[in-house]
Amino acid sequence: MYAQWFQSQDKSEGIASPIYSSVTNSDGTFAIHMKNFFTALGDPVQFDADPNKPEFEKWRIWAVNPDDGTYQMLSAPGNSVVFPKTAVYDLSGNLVQKIDSNVIEGADFKFGERIDNSVMHLTNPDGSILAKDNPAEKTGGQVQGHVQWNYGIANGSETWALYASRSQNGDFVAPNVKVYASYLSDYAVQQINKKYPDVRGSDWTAQKEAELQNWIHAKMAQEGKEKWIAETVSGFTGQDGEYRLRFNGTYGKSATERGNVPEDMWHTIADNPDAGSWTLPNINKDHKHINRDWLFVSTEDIPGVIKTSPFYQNYYSSYSGGNWNSHGAGWTTINMATTNYDMRNIDFAIAAGDIDFEVTPFNTTDKPAHPGDTAHTTAVNIPTKFSDNLNYRIQWKAAGAKDVIAECKGLHPESNGTLQSCDFTVPKELDKSTIYTAYLYAEDDKGQLSDNYLSVRWV
């Protein structure tokens, strides 16, 4: 676990603390001591946990995924970038800033099991995803949403849905990401109802849901996924980050009611999305449905990122309301259409979870730079997948000043996840001791900067 804080005195650029670290305890809790320190100019600096004047403090809190093969980081305080962006207390999740005791509490990280597409979707004998490539232009049985890089953090308090919305500068589209969607078959729903007559009723619990999902996976392994998964469809996000998939649909009013559909059609899959009728509430003789209480949507694997999604476990989930909703809390923007089985705003937000940004070979403690010296930057763990339209910018500023004195624009990550150095030479005519700070930002291919800088180093 790592933490660092920054002071932006009088809203001009200020100074950055050393990086402090700790490890989690056996119960998952952690504490990091934000020690007082002296700047290279000999000035004392104290952590106040206060984003207000006179220091206008900001902080960055981040973690290393202990097992990237097992866990997926779902969320982190401030999405692991520097926050809050203005003088507003951040109350996202359980965050609390206690300015009387100079403490931040509730800086919680959430991890989930890594999504296993080969388990959750139909597969070929070799384990590859058996998905019909069904990009959608028409409505009816459509799964719609977007995938974005989330480097903009709103002030105040963020919900899951706000993390995944495109509401901040720094929310950049992620094109060419493959997205999969599946739902359980009528046979599967019938078997679930037999095994669990009170499924997701008033007395349902998270423990019962976990037991149910484990049972579903066991039955799939025993009987074959082709009996339990009705359809798997796929498609790619466009240059706008949007994806639209479309199921063919299952004939019948529902898994348990035939409606007006002929007996021999009930429970069968339509040949294509346009065959039959999606219209609700009318139940025609060729009516189709999707078992939306047993849905799963995912992206292809994106290693080394925070990924915020309504599908954050290997669960077939419900968004239709009722007494118990397995994943719906905080995802108020999801729209399950009542007229045609469309499923809208199933969004995904991704962000770098562990960027390491350094200035070498100088520091402000035992190796300060001198006039004429050149400092170099290094940045590692920069995501390289789905980043064609995502660049980075490094700006150098003097402490106490707003103006940029040097910058490198349009830096694109190398294949090994590094950025080219943005060198800065200390002015030879410098007449007083000065702290220079390097700021790392994300920017899109049009030069739009993220509101929040991702990391900071100083010399």
Side-chain angles (χ1 to χ4, degrees):
M1 314 303 295
Y2 300 91
Q4 185 182 22
W5 92 89
F6 315 92
Q7 288 188 351
S8 301
Q9 298 159 342
D10 298 323
K11 296 189 178 181
S12 60
E13 300 305 334
I15 55 178
S17 78
I19 293 174
Y20 300 108
S21 64
S22 181
V23 296
T24 55
N25 301 312
S26 59
D27 62 356
T29 61
F30 73 95
I32 299 175
H33 185 196
M34 307 291 265
K35 298 178 182 178
N36 300 341
F37 65 96
F38 289 90
T39 70
L41 308 182
D43 298 324
V45 183
Q46 175 180 300
F47 179 65
D48 296 325
D50 190 352
N52 294 299
K53 63 181 182 181
E55 287 86 7
F56 295 101
E57 284 186 350
K58 306 175 188 288
W59 36 83
R60 182 185 177 214
I61 309 168
W62 70 104
V64 176
N65 190 332
D67 186 346
D68 197 51
T70 302
Y71 304 113
Q72 173 78 57
M73 189 181 294
L74 305 175
S75 67
N79 236 16
S80 292
V81 304
V82 180
F83 76 108
K85 64 182 178 184
T86 61
V88 175
Y89 292 111
D90 194 300
L91 304 177
S92 301
N94 296 317
L95 272 173
V96 177
Q97 290 93 68
K98 294 186 173 182
I99 60 175
D100 55 340
S101 54
N102 303 334
V103 170
I104 293 176
E105 290 185 351
D108 297 339
F109 291 78
K110 293 181 173 63
F111 290 85
E113 60 182 337
R114 179 163 287 282
I115 297 304
D116 191 340
N117 287 323
S118 67
V119 169
M120 299 302 293
H121 301 294
L122 288 170
T123 51
N124 294 302
D126 64 0
S128 60
I129 308 300
L130 178 60
K132 296 177 182 177
D133 192 6
N134 274 7
E137 294 297 331
K138 299 180 181 179
T139 59
Q142 185 182 117
V143 182
Q144 175 272 336
H146 67 250
V147 183
Q148 67 172 28
W149 288 99
N150 185 16
Y151 287 130
I153 305 301
N155 282 325
S157 180
E158 287 216 327
T159 63
W160 289 112
L162 189 54
Y163 268 120
S165 70
R166 293 189 200 161
S167 58
Q168 306 294 316
N169 289 334
D171 294 341
F172 303 138
V173 300
N176 305 315
V177 180
K178 192 157 196 177
V179 181
Y180 302 98
S182 295
Y183 66 95
L184 294 187
S185 67
D186 284 2
Y187 169 81
V189 174
Q190 291 173 345
Q191 298 306 303
I192 291 168
N193 290 337
K194 288 179 183 178
K195 177 70 174 179
Y196 297 93
D198 64 336
V199 62
R200 295 176 179 165
S202 58
D203 295 326
W204 201 250
T205 65
Q207 180 62 38
K208 289 182 179 179
E209 184 72 18
E211 293 173 0
L212 164 63
Q213 297 290 336
N214 289 335
W215 179 80
I216 291 172
H217 290 304
K219 296 298 287 186
M220 283 184 179
Q222 178 184 349
E223 299 182 359
K225 285 194 291 186
E226 65 277 2
K227 289 187 69 172
W228 281 74
I229 299 175
E231 300 182 70
T232 296
V233 295
S234 65
F236 291 90
T237 58
Q239 292 304 305
D240 58 358
E242 296 280 339
Y243 72 90
R244 290 175 177 82
L245 316 178
R246 202 174 179 209
F247 289 116
N248 289 350
T250 301
Y251 285 112
K253 180 179 180 181
S254 70
T256 56
E257 293 184 68
R258 180 167 61 88
N260 297 321
V261 172
E263 183 73 35
D264 60 348
M265 288 180 62
W266 191 20
H267 309 312
T268 63
I269 306 298
D271 292 335
N272 60 70
D274 292 325
S277 171
W278 292 108
T279 304
L280 287 170
N282 299 327
I283 307 300
N284 301 319
K285 291 182 179 181
D286 58 354
H287 182 81
K288 301 184 299 184
H289 68 274
I290 294 169
N291 296 317
R292 295 191 292 190
D293 285 351
W294 306 98
L295 180 70
F296 185 77
V297 185
S298 63
T299 70
E300 61 182 290
D301 187 46
I302 308 173
V305 300
I306 302 170
K307 183 162 70 172
T308 303
S309 155
F311 295 90
Y312 53 83
Q313 289 174 290
N314 292 305
Y315 280 17
Y316 297 96
S317 302
S318 167
Y319 289 92
S320 298
N323 293 314
W324 193 85
N325 189 326
S326 58
H327 285 70
W331 290 98
T332 54
T333 57
I334 289 178
N335 182 342
M336 292 295 183
T338 58
T339 58
N340 61 3
Y341 288 100
D342 278 357
M343 294 149 281
R344 307 184 186 105
N345 303 327
I346 298 179
D347 300 330
F348 297 81
I350 53 179
D354 183 27
I355 289 178
D356 186 1
F357 182 55
E358 302 284 350
V359 168
T360 61
F362 308 107
N363 58 51
T364 59
T365 53
D366 58 358
K367 195 175 181 181
H370 297 89
D373 286 340
T374 298
H376 312 283
T377 63
T378 62
V380 301
N381 299 332
I382 306 294
T384 59
K385 206 170 182 180
F386 311 118
S387 60
D388 289 348
N389 68 325
L390 180 63
N391 296 316
Y392 296 85
R393 185 183 302 188
I394 297 173
Q395 294 182 341
W396 285 91
K397 299 179 183 181
K402 295 181 180 180
D403 294 338
V404 176
I405 55 177
E407 71 176 348
C408 301
K409 300 179 180 179
L411 299 175
H412 196 71
E414 305 290 339
S415 59
N416 62 356
T418 63
L419 293 179
Q420 177 183 337
S421 175
C422 184
D423 293 350
F424 173 71
T425 299
V426 179
K428 292 183 178 180
E429 66 277 9
L430 194 67
D431 58 2
K432 64 178 181 179
S433 296
T434 304
I435 296 173
Y436 293 99
T437 308
Y439 296 81
L440 175 63
Y441 292 87
E443 67 175 6
D444 65 13
D445 54 2
K446 300 179 180 61
Q448 172 66 55
L449 277 185
S450 57
D451 282 343
N452 302 71
Y453 41 88
L454 310 186
S455 190
V456 184
R457 282 296 182 273
W458 49 312
V459 297

